[in-house]
Amino acid sequence: MTTNTDSYTRSQLGEFSSVVCFKAVIVGVEDTLGPDGAAVVFTRAGKVRGRDLVASLGLTGSNVPVEQLAGLLNQAIGRDGTRLAAVTGAYHEGENIVIETQDTVCSAGEAQGSDRKCTFTLGAVWGALEAVTGNLYLGEHTESVLRGGASDKFVFSPL
């Protein structure tokens, strides 16, 4: 993770804030824009974050093999990074690319059976994938830990 030394840093609290506070932002935006409008906003914001993250790691256009993406992304957004999500797998499924995550900030605090989608996390992984490969994809959250999945599974179909 890189930090711009010209920007304001929180001297007392550091870079991280509570999942509870982030979830309050999600719920507030959903209340204002509705679930579909909020999904568009958070997915797009995630894509920008993912693209910027890849740029900060010097991986833009690097075409890293898909099988290595999980480790690189997990280092940046997992336990040793920003803690957005643990990235546990990345692989090809036919022409699609699948990226699996666990412990996403989007699912935190949700009840089992919740219909919550991981829009920001999906967007971050999506933006990172497009920045690394230089290709465009259609991303979809297909399985959820909240609905019986072993992971939050994101499937990216080439456009």
Side-chain angles (χ1 to χ4, degrees):
M1 182 174 61
T2 60
T3 306
N4 181 347
T5 57
D6 294 334
S7 63
Y8 174 77
T9 56
R10 298 184 340 160
S11 61
Q12 294 180 45
L13 299 177
E15 293 183 6
F16 298 103
S17 67
S18 164
V19 169
V20 172
C21 291
F22 184 75
K23 292 290 297 257
V25 171
I26 292 172
V27 171
V29 171
E30 286 174 344
D31 188 52
T32 303
L33 300 178
D36 293 338
V40 170
V41 168
F42 287 118
T43 302
R44 179 66 185 140
K47 284 183 81 171
V48 169
R49 172 66 183 129
R51 184 185 62 234
D52 291 349
L53 175 67
V54 165
S56 74
L57 296 172
L59 296 172
T60 302
S62 64
N63 252 331
V64 171
V66 168
E67 296 73 21
Q68 292 178 18
L69 278 177
L72 292 170
L73 290 175
N74 192 56
Q75 237 181 341
I77 66 172
R79 174 175 293 248
D80 295 328
T82 63
R83 295 181 178 235
L84 174 67
V87 183
T88 57
Y91 54 91
H92 286 279
E93 195 170 77
E95 67 176 7
N96 297 330
I97 295 174
V98 177
I99 298 181
E100 295 183 356
T101 62
Q102 293 179 331
D103 286 346
T104 66
V105 72
C106 303
S107 295
E110 292 292 320
Q112 284 299 311
S114 167
D115 63 355
R116 168 83 52 213
K117 294 274 190 173
C118 293
T119 54
F120 184 78
T121 307
L122 167 67
V125 171
W126 191 348
L129 176 64
E130 287 185 345
V132 165
T133 65
N135 297 322
L136 297 177
Y137 296 91
L138 176 62
E140 185 179 6
H141 184 189
T142 62
E143 290 182 28
S144 173
V145 297
L146 299 173
R147 294 178 291 285
S151 65
D152 285 292
K153 184 175 178 180
F154 306 133
V155 177
F156 301 95
S157 306
L159 293 177

